[in-house]
Amino acid sequence: MTDPTPVRAPLEDIALFLRRLQWTALGVGACWLLWVLAPVLTPFVVAAMLGWLGDPLVDRIERTGRSRNTSVALVFTLMALLVTLVLVILVPLIERQITTLIVSLPTYRVWFTETAIPWLEQRTGFQISVWLDLNHLIELVRSNWERAGGVATTLLGYLSRSGFALIAMVANIALLPVLTFFFLRDWDKLVERVASLIPRDYLGTVSRLAKESNDVLGAFLRGQFLVMLALGVMYGVGLWGVGLDLGILIGIVAGLLTFVPYLGPASGIILGVVAALVQYGDWKHVLGVLAVFGVGQVVESYWLTPKLVGDRIGLHPVAVIFAVLAGGQLFGFLGMLLALPVAAVINVLLRYAQERYTHSRLYAGEQPAAPLEPALAPAAAGADAAERESQQ
């Protein structure tokens, strides 16, 4: 009787290869679909993140004896009130700051053309003013438009794209509260439905990884949001105290960009120094700007981030920067929105893969200990004999 193992092994290998090929094709298809539908999916992703962030509070209220609908209504009302409060406070403030910026634009143009550019040309030797000449720019734009098919065609295409983009943005804003409410109400059902589709053999592993990813993401996103809020207020108030007309606007921008390591303070310092030089033209206010961001970085590094965020995401700053840039390049705004959550989940999966590898036979090997080198064996035997004589 022949052994069926040599016949069955190749068939099993082929079946395993086909299963892996199916999963790979499914992953590639999902990425392609995400890339195609990125503009449409943005409000759904934002609403899902808001529902995920608010679900623990809904569950906590529900455990007090209230119904799910009542708990969702309370949390949704609280979120709406917070958003309304922020808009009531920030929108008039930002509007005044933007008006100040528009009024100050001629002053900035004069400073760039008469102070900054001559200073750079004197030290670098490059004729920067030639490239910033108004007639040269007009001629360059005109030639590009002619190659594109004429000014009218380009302008009409731009207006039509802008109109569609504006309509899409308004529709997304209108959809956001509706989608958020439904995600809050049905979050637990969605989780149960996804869990029911997981193969039973992998349920324990997937549940463990999902819980770890959820803990990492929840702690990081809530903490990072608080850090952004605190730094935005600190930078805005500090620059306003220094005397910058655009200090609050620069502080808000620097606080919002804090989620990308080093981008927030770097952009804030550059904008603050330029604003100080244009408005005052002395080094005293420049030093004031640097002092504001220096204090902010010390507070963030030694108090805000350790207390509110900690090392919960476990990603190197270079990895965070790469994730944000890669997500934006691949999927636009949706990619930037998903970059850090996806990177955090991938980091959890990599830690699990490392754990599996360090417990595998490939890492540990089959021998419990490496044999002694031949040159070291006599010395080790002599040391053992000397130890036995001393004990006797």
Side-chain angles (χ1 to χ4, degrees), residues 9-25:
L11 295 178
E12 292 178 353
D13 292 339
I14 293 174
L16 180 61
F17 171 76
L18 291 177
R19 283 199 300 270
R20 291 178 177 177
L21 187 62
Q22 288 175 352
W23 283 109
T24 303

Side-chain angles (χ1 to χ4, degrees), residues 125-184:
F126 294 108
Q127 297 299 318
I128 304 174
S129 58
V130 175
W131 294 98
L132 295 179
D133 181 69
L134 184 59
N135 295 326
H136 176 76
L137 291 177
I138 291 175
E139 185 63 29
L140 185 64
V141 171
R142 182 181 300 166
S143 62
N144 289 332
W145 275 354
E146 289 175 355
R147 280 195 295 268
V151 177
T153 304
T154 305
L155 184 60
L156 289 175
Y158 173 76
L159 291 176
S160 63
R161 288 194 301 270
S162 300
F164 284 123
L166 181 61
I167 293 173
M169 184 178 68
V170 172
N172 290 341
I173 294 174
L175 278 175
L176 189 58
V178 178
L179 296 174
T180 302
F181 178 83
F182 285 116
F183 274 113
L184 275 174

Side-chain angles (χ1 to χ4, degrees), residues 123-276:
R123 283 159 177 77
T124 61
F126 294 108
Q127 297 299 318
I128 304 174
S129 58
V130 175
W131 294 98
L132 295 179
D133 181 69
L134 184 59
N135 295 326
H136 176 76
L137 291 177
I138 291 175
E139 185 63 29
L140 185 64
V141 171
R142 182 181 300 166
S143 62
N144 289 332
W145 275 354
E146 289 175 355
R147 280 195 295 268
V151 177
T153 304
T154 305
L155 184 60
L156 289 175
Y158 173 76
L159 291 176
S160 63
R161 288 194 301 270
S162 300
F164 284 123
L166 181 61
I167 293 173
M169 184 178 68
V170 172
N172 290 341
I173 294 174
L175 278 175
L176 189 58
V178 178
L179 296 174
T180 302
F181 178 83
F182 285 116
F183 274 113
L184 275 174
R185 190 191 67 178
D186 300 330
W187 186 261
D188 291 342
K189 294 180 180 179
L190 292 174
V191 173
E192 292 176 0
R193 189 166 297 176
V194 172
S196 66
L197 299 176
I198 299 173
R200 300 297 95 179
D201 292 340
Y202 302 101
L203 183 60
T205 302
V206 174
S207 299
R208 171 198 160 187
L209 294 176
K211 183 180 183 305
E212 187 175 349
S213 301
N214 180 72
D215 294 340
V216 168
L217 287 176
F220 174 76
L221 290 180
R222 294 184 185 97
Q224 190 63 44
F225 175 76
L226 293 176
V227 169
M228 291 166 56
L229 180 62
L231 287 179
V233 173
M234 187 183 305
Y235 291 150
V237 173
L239 295 177
W240 175 77
V242 170
L244 297 186
D245 293 337
L246 300 175
I248 296 177
L249 182 61
I250 295 172
I252 292 173
V253 172
L256 291 176
L257 294 178
T258 303
F259 75 96
V260 181
Y262 310 114
L263 181 60
S267 60
I269 289 173
I270 294 173
L271 295 174
V273 168
V274 171

Side-chain angles (χ1 to χ4, degrees), residues 105-117:
L105 282 179
T107 306
Y108 280 87
R109 182 180 61 82
V110 170
W111 181 82
F112 273 107
T113 56
E114 298 182 2
T115 304
I117 293 176

